[in-house]
Amino acid sequence: MEEFRGSQNYVASEELLRAANIAMVLQKPLLIKGEPGTGKTMLAEAIAQALNKKLIIWNIKSTTKAQDGLYVYDVVQRLYDSQFGGEGVDDIAKYVRLGKLGEAFTADEQVILLIDEIDKADLEFPNDLLWELDRMEFHIPETGETVTAKHRPVVIITSNAEKELPDAFLRRCVFHYIEFPDKELMAEIVRVHFPDLDQKLLDQVLEAFYRIRQLPQIKKKPSTSEIIDWIQALQHGGVAVDRIVKEVPYLGVLLKKNEDIDALRASWK
Amino acid sequence: MFEDFLYLLRRNGLKVSLTEWMALMEALDQGLHEASFTGFYHLCRCLLVKSEADFDAFDRTFLDYFQGVPFQQEVSDEMLRWLDRPNAPLGEYDEQQAELNETLSALEIETMFRERRHEQREQHNCGNYWVGTHGMSVFGNMGMSPAGIRVGGESRSRRAFRVAGERRYRDFRQDNVLDTRQLQVAFRRLRQFSGLVDLPETEFDVDNTIRDTAENAGVLKVRYKKPRQNTVKVLLLMDSGGSMEYYGSLCSTLFHAVSKTGHFKDLKIYYFHNCPYTRLYKDPTLDPNHALPVSWVLSNIAPEYKVIFVGDAQMHPYELFDPFPVVKEGEPESGLDCLRRFKDRYRHIVWLNPGDRPTWGEEWTETYDTIDRLFPMFPLTVGGLEEGMKKLLAR
């Protein structure tokens, strides 16, 4: 069995690695929750890269239905074709197109399937997928065909906890909560993005960053993607290292709300 | 194997099902715990716990159950024998070593521990390198290092940092008081799509029209569906001023959450002080120029509204029980009478309480208990709010 040990571009904590491997061995979906910006979506990419497997991403929106992931029967096209005398209108299979889940099932080799932000969809959405994820097969009544997974895909599901997921669904998943990285892990993560960043600059950036995160007045705390952007801005602007903690330049990159910026300016010494 | 653990988890409020338990057994069978106690802890957690809110409860239960099992699989019996000398004298305290130990991360200690286990061939005590007792190294027992792993022996100074002991997830517990977003999520539960309610099919259904037309060999077949929108109407009544000032920010958070949720068909918010008597106010300053008689509210706001009272239910008993000196025709006769009228008119009422039941003074508990008996009362926390929303939706 292949094992995931993190990748060049993704720094994962020990716990996360364990959870990912447990999910793969047990062939259960891995459900990832965590603060925004802790790299939930990136994880699937990293796993796909590390195991050298194809990644199929199914982005969930508020209008997504479970059916969309299985297959779509394009009745309109068929109607259209039939009225203009197109070829092969009798062949329903021609009008059945597989969704992302169907694509993952029919792939010739094992793939990674990322169901991104499952909580965006309707409350019933996860329940509608129970059978399919459990048995890794679904039936297309229009053609009488049953699509069965040739190779069980590795399923990774992310959630921002906007909606509660149903118990029946949760019971089938391996769960992992990504904590916000501590200073050391964050340093490592930054290093991955900026391999030759000056150590002094990094220290200063981390100090300022974690001080900002600890301020109770800040409503929307900056996350990993913000610190990366910030370093980029600092590098680009050529800000002197000793000014970073003192003045927090380019604050707009870190804080996205006006009241947060005001609160910080008022309390920063 | 250790089914007791399953029942202990369930007793402590974690809804672990048989499916999950069997998955754990399978995982253990496959050696996924990597023959270590830490691995076992992670394995249990990611298979048995499905929400970070339950991590804390899990940690406590885990600790409770496995306390007496100090890393059995990790440490050889021989080493445990070396370490079993509880009454030996202490080694010397080394301040430099203590500082150094404190800088080590959990992962580093873990790695060092793994190395030592393979290297160590004999008993070493009072030192700063080997796994031993009464020393300065980061493993062993009865030691003086500020951080480290306890191996064998009994906990004494409580400085061992082992994972489950840290309770890092305390902040996620659901009985924590909440922020706007969490409240909003809770309010989202309060919805009832009219798909469930009987309404005429008035909305043009594009998908099914196309499908049925196509299936009808191209002859148009029009289909309609029931409109899908939230039918819940909410009447929010908030206590303002007095003892409620203390909960000011909590109530304003709640207010923002309710008004931002925006998916109610209708939302009406009125204020009162301690108990609605004959009037409700339109703003929290309780300005008498913007007041409405309770009787008007009762007769004009339909019974299908779901009523949420927010207040600490603490006041002087006379405010609740004594009849008003002057009673206009059709107006309530006392505070309690007013609340009863609400109860008679509205089927779905909950009372959210930001405070706890007072522990002293009969006067305060009397009104609290009376209201508690009258309406289902829930604490104003994430868990309480969710329970309350469920109550409001119950048919």
Side-chain angles (χ1 to χ4, degrees):
Chain A
M1 188 70 207
E2 289 152 292
E3 217 176 273
F4 174 58
R5 288 265 132 241
S7 78
Q8 277 180 321
N9 304 321
Y10 189 85
V11 183
S13 71
E14 182 94 355
E15 295 178 23
L16 177 56
L17 296 178
R18 275 183 212 268
N21 287 325
I22 290 167
M24 280 194 279
V25 174
L26 292 182
Q27 306 191 326
K28 282 173 182 292
L30 174 63
L31 173 66
I32 306 275
K33 261 164 89 175
E35 265 187 57
T38 39
K40 296 186 288 288
T41 309
M42 290 270 290
L43 171 74
E45 283 169 28
I47 292 183
Q49 212 174 32
L51 302 181
N52 198 15
K53 290 189 192 311
K54 197 177 150 213
L55 174 66
I56 296 179
I57 302 176
W58 184 13
N59 262 313
I60 307 299
K61 307 200 175 65
S62 61
T63 51
T64 307
K65 291 195 199 89
Q67 181 69 32
D68 303 346
L70 307 178
Y71 70 96
V72 181
Y73 173 25
D74 193 348
V75 271
V76 184
Q77 184 65 43
R78 186 160 180 238
L79 176 66
Y80 193 71
D81 283 0
S82 73
Q83 296 194 326
F84 294 93
E87 290 277 301
V89 182
D90 297 345
D91 183 12
I92 293 178
K94 206 179 128 191
Y95 300 96
V96 171
R97 261 176 298 137
L98 292 177
K100 293 288 180 192
L101 203 60
E103 212 178 294
F105 285 1
T106 50
D108 288 325
E109 50 185 39
Q110 194 185 32
V111 295
I112 315 279
L113 174 66
L114 170 66
I115 304 181
D116 208 5
E117 310 196 5
I118 195 164
D119 53 329
K120 287 257 188 328
D122 194 69
L123 285 169
E124 285 307 312
F125 178 86
N127 274 340
D128 294 347
L129 282 178
L130 281 183
W131 168 268
E132 284 75 12
L133 287 177
D134 234 22
R135 306 297 296 265
M136 289 289 169
E137 65 174 39
F138 61 89
H139 183 68
I140 306 179
E142 282 85 351
T143 57
E145 188 192 350
T146 301
V147 178
T148 313
K150 289 183 192 161
H151 304 273
R152 252 185 120 87
V154 177
V155 182
I156 297 170
I157 300 166
T158 70
S159 163
N160 281 324
E162 283 190 27
K163 289 191 194 92
E164 293 251 340
L165 298 171
D167 285 346
F169 180 78
L170 289 174
R171 241 175 258 147
R172 290 165 167 83
C173 296
V174 174
F175 174 71
H176 182 76
Y177 180 81
I178 303 189
E179 278 178 83
F180 196 82
D182 56 10
K183 242 184 191 178
E184 283 132 61
L185 191 62
M186 183 57 89
E188 226 177 296
I189 293 169
V190 172
R191 281 258 166 258
V192 167
H193 289 266
F194 304 94
D196 27 59
L197 188 73
D198 179 40
Q199 182 63 42
K200 256 172 72 191
L201 180 85
L202 177 61
D203 290 346
Q204 295 280 307
V205 164
L206 288 178
E207 204 206 312
F209 181 75
Y210 280 92
R211 251 177 75 188
I212 294 174
R213 273 187 64 88
Q214 272 161 16
L215 289 178
Q217 307 95 306
I218 302 291
K219 295 260 164 54
K220 190 192 170 303
K221 301 206 184 314
S223 66
T224 317
S225 53
E226 270 111 26
I227 195 174
I228 304 286
D229 291 347
W230 195 41
I231 294 174
Q232 220 151 26
L234 291 172
Q235 274 186 329
H236 201 75
V239 177
V241 172
D242 51 330
R243 278 179 50 208
I244 294 177
V245 174
K246 231 182 287 166
E247 299 173 21
V248 203
Y250 305 113
L251 188 55
V253 181
L254 280 180
L255 300 176
K256 307 288 166 68
K257 285 188 160 186
N258 264 339
E259 56 258 49
D260 284 353
I261 293 180
D262 294 341
L264 182 103
R265 285 289 177 223
S267 65
W268 202 256
K269 286 179 281 295
Chain B
M1 254 191 311
F2 35 84
E3 280 79 14
D4 294 349
F5 183 47
L6 168 67
Y7 291 108
L8 190 64
L9 283 169
R10 290 185 63 95
R11 254 206 310 286
N12 286 351
L14 289 156
K15 288 183 220 114
V16 181
S17 71
L18 213 56
T19 326
E20 285 151 322
W21 192 252
M22 293 319 286
L24 177 65
M25 292 302 128
E26 192 194 332
L28 288 173
D29 231 26
Q30 302 216 25
L32 280 174
H33 53 302
E34 296 172 358
S36 80
F37 198 60
T38 319
F40 175 68
Y41 164 78
H42 286 309
L43 184 67
C44 287
R45 200 181 66 185
C46 73
L47 286 173
L48 304 181
V49 187
K50 298 298 156 71
S51 164
E52 68 274 17
D54 291 336
F55 277 6
D56 189 51
F58 174 78
D59 278 1
R60 276 180 299 139
T61 313
F62 190 88
L63 213 60
D64 205 25
Y65 188 81
F66 290 104
Q67 222 166 20
V69 193
F71 322 114
Q72 270 173 349
Q73 302 100 321
E74 279 179 271
V75 184
S76 66
D77 287 347
E78 201 183 6
M79 187 180 268
L80 283 176
R81 264 200 305 283
W82 296 333
L83 292 169
D84 187 20
R85 47 198 294 277
N87 297 318
L90 270 181
E92 263 172 49
Y93 187 73
D94 179 343
E95 188 150 0
Q96 258 182 325
Q97 186 67 38
E99 271 173 34
L100 184 74
N101 289 352
E102 256 182 298
T103 61
L104 292 171
S105 76
L107 206 65
E108 281 169 315
I109 296 180
E110 203 86 44
T111 322
M112 283 161 65
F113 182 54
R114 223 171 287 150
E115 285 168 17
R116 297 293 187 281
R117 270 181 2 235
H118 292 294
E119 289 176 324
Q120 193 158 354
R121 295 278 170 268
E122 55 190 358
Q123 190 168 336
H124 290 275
N125 292 315
C126 306
N128 61 13
Y129 183 82
W130 297 105
V131 183
T133 66
H134 303 91
M136 289 301 301
S137 72
V138 283
F139 359 77
N141 65 57
M142 313 291 286
M144 293 168 291
S145 167
I149 302 175
R150 176 168 59 83
V151 187
E154 307 240 306
S155 153
R156 204 192 44 170
S157 298
R158 295 198 171 271
R159 282 182 288 212
F161 70 82
R162 266 303 185 174
V163 264
E166 279 195 325
R167 301 195 59 194
R168 292 185 315 207
Y169 299 100
R170 207 176 339 203
D171 290 351
F172 295 125
R173 286 169 55 173
Q174 289 199 324
D175 44 6
N176 248 20
V177 188
L178 13 116
D179 64 30
T180 317
R181 187 180 165 71
Q182 287 173 302
L183 282 173
Q184 268 176 282
V185 174
F187 272 117
R188 281 197 195 182
R189 290 174 159 258
L190 192 54
R191 58 178 185 184
Q192 214 161 45
F193 283 119
S194 52
L196 306 168
V197 184
D198 278 331
L199 270 182
E201 297 179 339
T202 50
E203 209 169 83
F204 184 53
D205 183 349
V206 181
D207 284 349
N208 281 326
T209 304
I210 293 172
R211 171 176 295 270
D212 287 4
T213 306
E215 273 171 6
N216 211 12
V219 180
L220 188 65
K221 199 170 177 183
V222 179
R223 290 284 302 268
Y224 290 95
K225 65 180 172 190
K226 294 173 185 172
R228 224 176 118 74
Q229 47 172 237
N230 196 358
T231 50
V232 171
K233 298 175 186 170
V234 173
L235 173 60
L236 180 65
L237 301 170
M238 294 178 96
D239 190 351
S240 171
S243 55
M244 285 298 287
E245 305 254 292
Y246 180 67
Y247 310 107
S249 72
L250 184 61
C251 289
S252 97
T253 312
L254 178 79
F255 174 81
H256 282 290
V258 182
S259 47
K260 267 190 199 159
T261 306
H263 73 234
F264 300 126
K265 193 165 181 204
D266 190 29
L267 170 66
K268 296 221 178 341
I269 302 175
Y270 299 119
Y271 300 85
F272 60 90
H273 182 58
N274 282 348
C275 173
Y277 307 112
T278 52
R279 281 191 292 189
L280 286 165
Y281 302 88
K282 282 183 177 168
D283 51 41
T285 53
L286 308 181
D287 178 0
N289 293 324
H290 294 104
L292 291 168
V294 165
S295 55
W296 183 90
V297 172
L298 282 169
S299 55
N300 281 285
I301 292 183
E304 76 236 32
Y305 275 79
K306 300 191 189 291
V307 182
I308 304 172
F309 279 99
V310 181
D312 58 1
Q314 291 175 35
M315 62 203 88
H316 197 280
Y318 83 77
E319 296 182 69
L320 195 59
F321 301 113
D322 286 8
F324 302 141
V326 187
V327 181
K328 272 194 233 157
E329 172 89 29
E331 294 283 350
E333 287 154 25
S334 70
L336 191 61
D337 181 43
C338 173
L339 293 179
R340 284 222 177 93
R341 288 179 186 220
F342 270 98
K343 193 183 164 94
D344 288 345
R345 174 141 174 102
Y346 300 101
R347 253 191 81 204
H348 298 101
I349 302 187
V350 291
W351 187 293
L352 297 174
N353 199 324
D356 299 324
R357 184 175 184 273
T359 45
W360 48 272
E362 241 172 63
E363 291 185 356
W364 303 98
T365 48
E366 195 181 355
T367 57
Y368 182 99
D369 292 343
T370 307
I371 293 177
D372 192 19
R373 274 194 300 273
L374 197 60
F375 302 122
M377 194 183 279
F378 300 93
L380 188 47
T381 58
V382 176
L385 192 57
E386 275 174 9
E387 286 299 306
M389 296 301 111
K390 265 186 218 159
K391 188 87 199 168
L392 283 180
L393 277 184
R395 276 142 198 265

